[in-house]
Amino acid sequence: MSQPIEKEVPQRAAFKRRTLFQVVGGLLVVALCLLLFATYSHRRSLEYSRRQVAEQASVVARDIGRQNPGGVEAYLKLAAKVYFYKTIDIVRPDGRSFIHVEGPPLQGIDLYLFNAGLMPVHHYKTEVVFQGRKIAFFKVSQYCHIFYHIFNFLVFLLLVMFFGLFVYNLISSRRFLERRIEEEVARSRASKKRFLELVNLLPEIVWEADLEGHIIFANRTAQERFGVVDDQAENRDDKEEEIFNLFDFIVPEDRARAKKDFLDEIRSTKYDFREYTVQTRTGTTYPVISRLAPVYEDGKPIGARGIAIDITELRQLEQRLDQAQKMEAIGTLAGGIAHDFNNILTAIIGYIQLVEIKLKDSSPVLADHLGQALQAAARARDLVQQILTFSRRSEQNCRVLEMRRVVRETVKLIRSSIPSTIEIRSSLKAPGLVVADEARLHQMTMNLCTNAYQAMEEQQKGVMEIDLSEVVAANPQIPGSPLRRYLRLLVSDTGCGIESHDLKKIFDPYFTTKETGKGTGLGLAVVYGIVEEYGGFIEVESRSGLGTSFHVYLPLASPEVEVLQPEEALSEPVSTGNGELLLLIDDENNVLDVVGRYLEENGYRVERCSDPAQALQKLFADPALYHLVITDQTMPGMLGLEVSRKVKEIRSDCPVILCSGYRAGLDNESLRESGVDLFLQKPLSFNKLVAAVRKLIDQTSR
């Protein structure tokens, strides 16, 4: 705003200077004109007076010749009054005065001018001739009224000058206004250009349309998204066939509602965001939210202006949030049932192993049946582990791994379990170093390969392609994410493919298109959970009847990455017990029974307690009596961590083993702070339990 004001200051100063120059110049011109006029008027007045005097002399000559001196004197008095004569004298040739007439005395302004010397007196003399004979001389003294002529001329000149100045100023003002108008037009064009540039920089769609929806203006984003050319929209009279209608870019199912909302918003004073599905000229659709405001002319609406915002990314984020909430819900469910279910599995596996020990030599057939039961229990345990993996609630052993080795092992395993009519093509050029848990990667790869096989199972033929490569990409699920290096695992098949309406649901937990009994619906959900947990993402390409391709992207790691690895539990039993007394605490009676029996079968004595407070009272009564304490984590009245802490307060060197159905919240630091010597995951591996008990007792006795 300051620049136009700064421009006007020198313009006004220049205008004042021009006006001053014009006034001074005008005065000089007036003075020159007055001088010229005075000279001209004086000469003309002299000539005129001489002619008048000559005419009057001829009249006097006739009257004198007729001997009428009274008429001559009357005539001369009248002439003196009319022609401002001071005196009139008729003198005989011998010098004697014949007639002397005095003019009227001067009064008022004339007297003032005469006394001031501004009214000179001119003298004229001519001969009076009658019938060719000189009879007298005619002498006249006349007041010169040139000042009146000069004054009148001055007034006239001033009027002309002021009129000229008025016309000049009018022309100058017009030119000044024209320049101002040109500057305002240029400023308006610059402002419009600046507005267009700013509007064209917006990522949102900006439009203007008339009451029928014909597009009058569209910014660059709208032109790119809709195919509307701005020149065509502006020159509507010349190119009516090129006119685009706003509602043509709304999908048919939303079009009627959009027209109704358009008219309602124009009549209303409240402008809300509305959601529609937009279609481009190529047929691509995407969701938008739109808001408009009416355009008025002479108090009547003539159209509307509005914006539309593409909310595709917002919808994707909402879908990811829905997926995360589903996963969280399943995770909460998994965490709730894992403990109880693993307690049940602990009892089942324990009793089966006890029976197996008793009947191993006496009944091989029954022992084989028990082995099958153990395998079923192991599958149930793996199913719980899958649920915990999906919900991200299980512990991991993360380290730098070569993904190529994991994929090769998976290919060998899957090759031996699917028909030879299904060809497996693998291209594992990149080693693919990632930071992950090896079991998780095996599970992820196996689930993808199993899914590919099941897609080709009905036709019993096809090609499964597995490719491993390193790429640079950005996570499309996170808007604005930077480029980074990823390991891409491609698993594709030539099977039945996935219907388009099912693509958005394939990662939902328990969603499956297989027949009842042929799938749990957790396979791809587990894959999704693992990939998300490691900071990667998944892309799916599929067409019904043409097969499916899964692209899994995992962040690459350098070989120098160091990963903290948790302690590994003992896997092989050592020597059995020698009658040591163990304190076993668990709120599940069947777990108390089966674990106690198994430990007793291996040479230990076991004191069973379902109440942790009662167990601590027994330990407090005779701390040296017990060699080791085994406690569950989740029990009514007291958690296992608190039991361990109190055990250490009673006897600091007493070993404590903590067991739980799942390890949520039981990190290594909390275990160390509570004095836990070893954590074992339920369902328990009884061989590991016996070996761990033996090792901890031996360490304490040293």
Side-chain angles (χ1 to χ4, degrees), residues 80-124:
K81 185 177 181 180
V82 172
Y83 294 105
F84 299 99
Y85 291 155
K86 182 180 180 183
T87 60
I88 302 175
D89 290 298
I90 299 177
V91 181
R92 297 178 188 274
D94 57 2
R96 289 181 300 155
S97 176
F98 178 67
I99 297 176
H100 175 77
V101 177
E102 293 285 341
L106 296 177
Q107 296 178 355
I109 187 67
D110 292 336
L111 180 61
Y112 174 78
L113 291 175
F114 179 77
N115 293 332
L118 297 177
M119 185 182 290
V121 177
H122 292 171
H123 301 281
Y124 305 95

Side-chain angles (χ1 to χ4, degrees), residues 8 19 34 141 219 223 239 305-306 314 326 429 536 615 666 675:
E8 289 177 2
T19 305
L34 286 175
S141 297
N219 70 337
Q223 296 175 33
K239 298 183 178 181
R305 300 187 184 103
L314 179 62
K326 292 176 184 177
K429 298 178 182 179
L666 298 176

Side-chain angles (χ1 to χ4, degrees), residues 289-344:
I289 54 175
S290 179
R291 189 177 187 181
L292 61 87
V295 179
Y296 292 96
E297 186 176 285
D298 298 330
K300 297 181 180 179
I302 60 171
R305 300 187 184 103
I307 62 171
I309 304 173
D310 186 351
I311 57 172
T312 302
E313 292 182 356
L314 179 62
R315 289 290 174 263
Q316 292 174 349
L317 290 175
E318 289 178 351
Q319 292 174 1
R320 292 185 64 208
L321 179 60
D322 291 342
Q323 183 73 12
Q325 290 174 340
K326 292 176 184 177
M327 293 172 63
E328 184 66 23
I330 297 300
T332 303
L333 176 64
I337 68 173
H339 180 266
D340 294 336
F341 194 65
N342 280 330
N343 277 335
I344 296 172

Side-chain angles (χ1 to χ4, degrees), residues 12 67 89 116 129 141 183 244 246 253 259 289 319 355 360 380 427 462 491 495 548 580 595 605 653 664 692:
R12 290 176 180 174
Q67 300 295 319
D89 290 298
V129 178
S141 297
E183 292 174 359
F244 298 97
L246 184 66
E253 52 268 27
K259 291 180 179 179
I289 54 175
Q319 292 174 1
V355 175
K360 186 173 183 180
S427 176
V491 179
T548 305
E580 292 91 343
V595 174
R605 293 180 297 129
D653 64 340

Side-chain angles (χ1 to χ4, degrees), residues 145-395:
H145 285 79
I146 189 172
F147 177 79
Y148 289 108
H149 299 291
I150 294 176
F151 179 77
N152 292 334
F153 183 71
L154 177 61
V155 172
F156 174 75
L157 282 180
L158 289 175
L159 290 175
V160 172
M161 182 185 70
F162 283 121
F163 179 75
L165 287 175
F166 172 75
V167 173
Y168 179 80
N169 286 330
L170 185 64
I171 295 173
S172 299
S173 298
R174 179 178 178 180
R175 292 177 179 175
F176 176 75
L177 290 175
E178 288 177 349
R179 286 196 299 269
R180 289 296 301 272
I181 291 172
E182 290 175 357
E183 292 174 359
E184 290 297 330
V185 170
R187 192 178 296 115
S188 175
R189 289 175 178 172
S191 177
K192 180 180 179 181
K193 181 180 179 183
R194 184 164 55 251
F195 165 77
L196 290 176
E197 290 175 351
L198 289 174
V199 170
N200 286 330
L201 289 175
L202 293 175
E204 291 82 15
I205 296 169
V206 181
W207 54 268
E208 182 177 345
D210 60 18
L211 291 176
E212 296 179 356
H214 297 132
I215 296 177
I216 299 172
F217 169 80
N219 70 337
R220 188 171 300 155
T221 302
Q223 296 175 33
E224 292 173 354
R225 302 302 296 271
F226 294 159
V228 176
V229 179
D230 196 27
D231 292 341
Q232 295 174 356
E234 290 182 357
N235 300 327
R236 300 195 310 157
D237 296 336
D238 299 332
K239 298 183 178 181
E240 291 194 9
E241 70 279 6
E242 298 289 344
I243 298 175
F244 298 97
N245 193 285
L246 184 66
F247 303 112
D248 291 341
F249 300 103
I250 307 294
V251 294
E253 52 268 27
D254 287 354
R255 197 167 293 162
R257 178 171 61 89
K259 291 180 179 179
K260 181 179 180 299
D261 292 343
F262 182 85
L263 296 176
D264 291 344
E265 292 283 345
I266 288 177
R267 301 188 190 102
S268 174
T269 57
K270 184 179 180 181
Y271 315 122
D272 297 324
F273 278 104
R274 312 273 183 163
E275 183 173 343
Y276 309 101
T277 301
V278 171
Q279 63 181 5
T280 65
R281 300 185 73 189
T282 59
T284 305
T285 62
Y286 54 90
V288 300
I289 54 175
S290 179
R291 189 177 187 181
L292 61 87
V295 179
Y296 292 96
E297 186 176 285
D298 298 330
K300 297 181 180 179
I302 60 171
R305 300 187 184 103
I307 62 171
I309 304 173
D310 186 351
I311 57 172
T312 302
E313 292 182 356
L314 179 62
R315 289 290 174 263
Q316 292 174 349
L317 290 175
E318 289 178 351
Q319 292 174 1
R320 292 185 64 208
L321 179 60
D322 291 342
Q323 183 73 12
Q325 290 174 340
K326 292 176 184 177
M327 293 172 63
E328 184 66 23
I330 297 300
T332 303
L333 176 64
I337 68 173
H339 180 266
D340 294 336
F341 194 65
N342 280 330
N343 277 335
I344 296 172
L345 286 178
T346 297
I348 293 173
I349 293 172
Y351 284 121
I352 291 175
Q353 286 184 343
L354 287 174
V355 175
E356 190 178 29
I357 292 173
K358 298 293 185 181
L359 300 177
K360 186 173 183 180
D361 297 329
S362 60
S363 179
V365 176
L366 188 57
D368 180 65
H369 292 170
L370 292 174
Q372 294 295 327
L374 279 176
Q375 289 182 7
R379 286 197 294 271
R381 178 190 61 201
D382 293 340
L383 180 60
V384 174
Q385 187 62 30
Q386 275 196 337
I387 296 175
L388 292 175
T389 299
F390 161 72
S391 64
R392 308 181 190 178
R393 292 177 176 266
S394 58
E395 290 299 310

